[in-house]
Each structure stands twice: as C-alpha cells, then as structure tokens.
Amino acid sequence: MKLFLTLAISLFTTLTAVAGQPLHVVILGDSNTWIGGDDCDKPQGWNKWFKDAIQPTSCRSYARSGATWTNTPKTRRNTRENIGVLGNDNVIYNQICRLQEAVDSGVQSRPQLILIMAGTNDAWFLKSRPKAFAKTACEVFSTEGSTITDRPVHDILTLAESVRYGCELLRAAYPDARIILLTPLQSVAAGRDPITKAGDIIACCAHRMSLPVIRLDKEGGIDATQEKEHYSMTTDGTHTSEQGARHIGALIAKRIGTLWQQDNPVTRP
C-alpha cells in the first residue's frame, strides 16, 4: 500500500503539475473497462486503480460490455443503446459519438487524455466480425495524407480501418488531446493467436498515426495459459479480478506517466 501511494503521488505530480493544467481523462473500451464503472470507481476494473494512481481532475469511462472496434454493414450512429453484449451498434465509434454529445452539452469537460482499450471481442467473435482481420494497417494507410472519415461508418468493416476511423474522429474533435491505444489482454476464451493478431493490428495503426500504444497482451502480466489452469488475475480467464485490475491499472498509470514526462520534461533545481 505504501508503494502504491508513493506511485500515486509521483504520477499525480507528473501528469498534473508538469502539464500545468487540469487533467480530464476519458476512457473508451469493452467489458474489462466497463466493469470499472462509468465513474471509474469499481475495484474489478483497471480504470479504478488507474484513476487512484494518477488522481486526475476528472476520469470518465464511456466503455460498454460487448463492444468491438470493428463495425458491421448494419452499424449506425446510436448513442442510447446499452445492451451489454455484441451488437451492430455496440462499437467504439458510438462511444466516441457519446463522448462528443457529452462534451457538446457541457456534461463532460474536453479531454486532455483519451485511452482506448478494446479488441478482445474483435478477436473472440470473428464469426460476427468476419472482415476484422481482412486488411492490414499497411493496406489501410496506403494512401498517405488522406482520411477515411468521409466514408459512412457502415463501410468501415475491418479492425484496422475502424481503429484509424475512430482515432481520426477523435483527433478532429479534440486536437489537443493525447490519445493512447491499449491492446487487449490475453484471454482464455478468445485464444492467444487471435488476441496477438488484434494487438499487432492495433499497434501498427498506432505507429502509423504516431500514437503511443501499450501492448497489454505482451506486457500486461496476465498469461492465458496460467489463467486456464488457475484463475488469479482474472475471474473467468478473460475479465480481470480485483488483483488483476489493480496490477493492470498501476502498470498503465506508470507507463503513461513515463510517456507524459518524456513529452513534458521537468527542469529540476
């Protein structure tokens, strides 16, 4: 606990005093973020421990259980649905739309930091997202200097396109915000290879957009093989336990603190 409090004080200094302004954080994602609650205050979710560590001015989750990055031919703008399972409209795109509505109405402060942790369901339910892996990031970014946000969302059917689409929308709406992508954790249900492939695509998209990425499938400290034998960091092989959430939240906070400090170096006396 003493170490955790020390980390919290250190990161609070890094992310707020160094930035020299209030820090409003927004988090998008699937069930592993959703279980932390909209206010990021439930201990089974990593975002609660992340929030405790960095102590931002505000921290709000727009995550939905069952969400995917990847859209479908039937995806449309739908900011009211909250079904808790896979669905055509249960996608990151609609979380972005909800965020925009909240900011425009004054309910949500303009974010300075946006975290997106998704991809588990894209890898897990490939039968429902059959084109998710159909294009590589290289193919999606083959036309330099162009944008894909002029296309309708129901035409964005691969994981790589959906990542680019969502990030371009966020950059256009919040050009001063720092966007950081988090790849999905290892999952017993989704399988190691699909999770790694989803993580590779997300990481490559981040690289092409010059966005930081944290490879939770590789450095998150959750091993699907071990979880399959004995649940410890998860409750079911996919969703974090309180122990797993605490570990992931602290890891993400530390990594983001390092990234922020690199961008905002402090000259100490």
Side-chain angles (χ1 to χ4, degrees):
M1 181 60 70
K2 182 177 180 180
L3 177 61
F4 187 78
L5 290 174
T6 301
L7 174 64
I9 294 169
S10 173
L11 289 170
F12 174 73
T13 301
T14 299
L15 298 183
T16 55
V18 171
Q21 60 183 7
L23 180 64
H24 298 288
V25 181
V26 162
I27 307 175
L28 313 180
D30 53 31
S31 55
N32 260 323
T33 301
W34 172 82
I35 56 178
D38 292 351
D39 293 325
C40 306
D41 57 359
K42 301 187 185 313
Q44 195 182 336
W46 67 270
N47 44 330
K48 179 259 194 293
W49 305 104
F50 169 81
K51 176 184 175 181
D52 286 357
I54 70 168
Q55 301 179 36
T57 309
S58 70
C59 188
R60 184 75 175 173
S61 168
Y62 289 83
R64 288 285 184 258
S65 179
T68 61
W69 265 114
T70 310
N71 306 299
T72 81
K74 295 183 179 179
T75 298
R76 62 185 177 87
R77 183 185 176 96
N78 182 351
T79 59
R80 298 291 176 261
E81 181 182 79
N82 186 6
I83 57 177
V85 294
L86 204 72
N88 292 313
D89 297 338
N90 192 3
V91 292
I92 296 298
Y93 163 76
N94 275 317
Q95 294 180 31
I96 294 170
C97 292
R98 287 173 52 230
L99 168 62
Q100 291 174 323
E101 286 185 357
V103 172
D104 291 345
S105 67
V107 174
Q108 168 71 53
S109 298
R110 289 180 67 86
Q112 282 88 39
L113 178 61
I114 302 172
L115 309 181
I116 312 175
M117 179 180 172
T120 299
N121 295 319
D122 304 70
W124 189 350
F125 299 104
L126 283 170
K127 288 185 178 180
S128 298
R129 300 290 188 270
K131 295 187 177 181
F133 295 162
K135 288 185 180 181
T136 66
C138 289
E139 291 172 317
V140 169
F141 286 89
S142 59
T143 306
E144 295 293 340
S146 66
T147 180
I148 61 172
T149 54
D150 53 353
R151 293 161 55 187
V153 67
H154 62 257
D155 188 42
I156 307 298
L157 304 179
T158 69
L159 174 58
E161 288 174 307
S162 299
V163 172
R164 181 181 180 184
Y165 194 87
C167 290
E168 286 187 357
L169 288 175
L170 288 170
R171 274 182 159 171
Y174 313 110
D176 296 327
R178 186 71 182 271
I179 302 169
I180 299 177
L181 304 186
L182 314 176
T183 65
L185 298 163
Q186 289 189 27
S187 162
V188 172
R192 187 180 295 270
D193 289 346
I195 287 289
T196 298
K197 190 164 186 177
D200 288 345
I201 290 173
I202 293 167
C204 192
C205 287
H207 175 71
R208 295 299 296 260
M209 292 183 287
S210 298
L211 298 177
V213 61
I214 302 174
R215 290 298 302 257
L216 293 177
D217 56 319
K218 294 185 176 181
E219 57 180 299
I222 293 180
D223 185 282
T225 301
Q226 293 179 2
E227 291 299 311
K228 190 174 183 179
E229 296 174 355
H230 175 69
Y231 296 152
S232 173
M233 300 288 275
T234 69
T235 58
D236 56 7
T238 298
H239 300 94
T240 52
S241 62
E242 182 173 336
Q243 177 183 343
R246 186 190 293 263
H247 171 81
I248 295 297
L251 182 150
I252 292 171
K254 185 176 181 180
R255 284 292 310 277
I256 290 175
T258 300
L259 288 169
W260 205 279
Q261 196 165 36
Q262 288 171 350
D263 287 349
N264 302 274
V266 180
T267 302
R268 300 189 181 280

